[in-house]
Amino acid sequence: MPLLAFLPLLLLQTASDTPPPTASRPPAGAPYAMPGEDAVDPYVANNANAGAIPFKGEAMAVAFHGQDGIRRIVDGFVTRNFADPVIGEIFQGHDQARLRRTLFEQFCYILNAGCAYTGRDMRSSHKDLGTQHADMNRLVENLQKAMAEEGVSFPAQNRFLAKLAPMRKDTVDR
Amino acid sequence: MTTRCLTLAPVMAALGLATAPAAAEPLRNGGKLLLTNGISSIEGASGGGLTPWATIAGNETRDGIGASAHATIVELKDYDYQSAGISVGLFDRVELSFARQDFNTNEIGGALGLGNDYAFGQDIFGAKVKLAGDLVYDAPLMPAIAVGVQYKKSRNDAVVRLLGATDDDGIDYYLSATKLFLSRSILVNATVRLTKANQNGLLGYGGDRNDDYSVQFEGSMAWQLSRRLAIGGEYRTKPNNLGVAKEDDWFDAFAAYAVNRHLTATVAYADLGSIATIDKQRGVLFSLQAAF
């Protein structure tokens, strides 16, 4: 069981790191890959990997209709991206189950809707994808459509995008 | 495609633009976010209706080449204005533009002794380079910053000199900083312009009251209501070089709508103040822009 083999390593790493604040700490012993996902190289799970400081208060979580709304948005977003005639190609061959989970965690964490982020940081998770600015813009449009479909107000959409916009330097590599 | 890119590489290198894509990359045109190419201002540079922004015309990103064309009409109390132009955007970095303006004096022309329907006109060749920053992405407080020049040539040489203008051509220099503050859905632009132009050049350059360059300020604010729709206003200060015809600052209130990726329609209420001795020139601006 390769998953279990990573567990002691994870525990060791977490123990040796400066412990993050309790509220933002990922669940103890959370595996890198959940059942149904492909195995990934080990890394240290940390909320800082989400690449943005979460919103304060509940307003944004409410605007996105809580974890249920965020899950619907992420599902619509991922489905659109895989089916996209322009950027769909970039997603082919990537672990869709894992992407849905880690994106949900990231959005939920940033929107302060009660999640920890256990995925990799933005630079390593987008490494060598060969994405360009036009791809990022296309992705943003897909996210806008998914948020609009969920009925998130346009100002709230933009407030969220404001958290993601500074990530472009780490997610676009050519 | 690759060949075209290769031929442009020395040009980009000559301009000192290190961010041009590697010559081996094929061009990839299109891909800008809706509305982030701005609209064509009356002088041809991309921006708001009255003032240039630190945007680059066309739908291209840093990986391609884009282009746009526009037509604008302004129906004022006593005058009609129209302009049309084309722009090319290179790698979301360099913009080259041409615009032709026509300003019809209608019956005022007769009253001024120029003849009814006398039209002032000028041609404007513009170049703009984005120096740093990004309109939407990267550091939230770092705007896109661009510098530009506009060479303007009046087509009414004799008449503008008769009005007191020193020259029938001139060059404007400007610096623009523009940012879309996503967290507030608000776009802010500030432009500083060095100019000698009278009524943006339609009445020549320099004059009996003042013949030196002056520093003018142009500001825009827009509120993004949806992916496709933004409303806002602009203010533009102007010199006052001619003794016979005072100038006022300009302002407008606009709504810009991205019909699709290629077409932006703008309608505005514009107050252009006193023009060629006739006060209170207010009216409606319509502009259509096609971009690729």
Side-chain angles (χ1 to χ4, degrees), chain A residues 132 135 137 141 168 174, chain B residues 25 28 31 62 137 261:
Chain A
Q132 296 178 298
D135 301 316
N137 289 343
E141 289 178 352
R168 185 175 68 171
R174 71 180 172 115
Chain B
E25 293 280 344
R28 179 175 180 185
R62 68 179 182 184
Y137 292 102
R261 281 184 202 288

Side-chain angles (χ1 to χ4, degrees), chain B residues 104-148:
Chain B
N104 193 314
T105 57
N106 297 338
E107 288 164 20
I108 303 297
L112 295 172
L114 298 168
N116 281 354
D117 292 327
Y118 182 83
F120 289 94
Q122 67 171 342
D123 294 330
I124 302 170
F125 299 86
K128 178 172 21 173
V129 180
K130 189 164 74 177
L131 299 177
D134 193 274
L135 178 68
V136 181
Y137 292 102
D138 303 334
L141 296 179
M142 174 62 186
I145 297 170
V147 290

Side-chain angles (χ1 to χ4, degrees), chain B residues 229-285:
Chain B
L229 179 65
I231 59 171
E234 298 185 282
Y235 195 89
R236 173 170 174 170
T237 68
K238 311 221 320 302
N240 210 355
N241 301 333
L242 294 178
V244 297
K246 76 173 171 94
E247 284 189 43
D248 293 322
D249 295 346
W250 285 352
F251 69 87
D252 73 10
F254 67 83
Y257 184 76
V259 180
N260 58 41
R261 281 184 202 288
H262 302 296
L263 199 61
T264 307
T266 305
V267 58
Y269 168 80
D271 186 337
L272 307 186
S274 181
I275 300 179
T277 73
I278 311 296
D279 286 350
K280 295 187 177 140
Q281 294 307 313
R282 297 168 187 155
V284 182
L285 173 153

Side-chain angles (χ1 to χ4, degrees), chain A residues 86-87 132-138 140-141 144-145 154-155 158-159 161-162 165-166 168-169 172-174, chain B residues 25 28 30-34 61-63 134 136-140 182-185 224-227 261:
Chain A
V86 178
I87 59 172
Q132 296 178 298
H133 282 184
D135 301 316
M136 178 82 180
N137 289 343
R138 187 89 186 178
V140 167
E141 289 178 352
Q144 287 177 316
K145 286 173 187 166
F154 189 73
N158 268 357
R159 283 190 73 194
L161 290 177
R168 185 175 68 171
K169 61 182 189 312
V172 169
D173 48 19
R174 71 180 172 115
Chain B
E25 293 280 344
R28 179 175 180 185
K32 266 204 187 98
L33 288 169
L34 283 178
T61 63
R62 68 179 182 184
D63 302 302
D134 193 274
V136 181
Y137 292 102
D138 303 334
L182 275 172
S183 61
R184 295 279 175 271
S185 299
Q224 198 191 5
L225 297 176
S226 78
R227 281 177 65 215
R261 281 184 202 288

Side-chain angles (χ1 to χ4, degrees), chain A residues 9-19 25 44:
Chain A
L9 183 60
L10 172 69
L11 291 172
L12 267 175
Q13 283 169 329
T14 326
S16 62
D17 278 348
T18 319
R25 190 176 188 133
V44 181

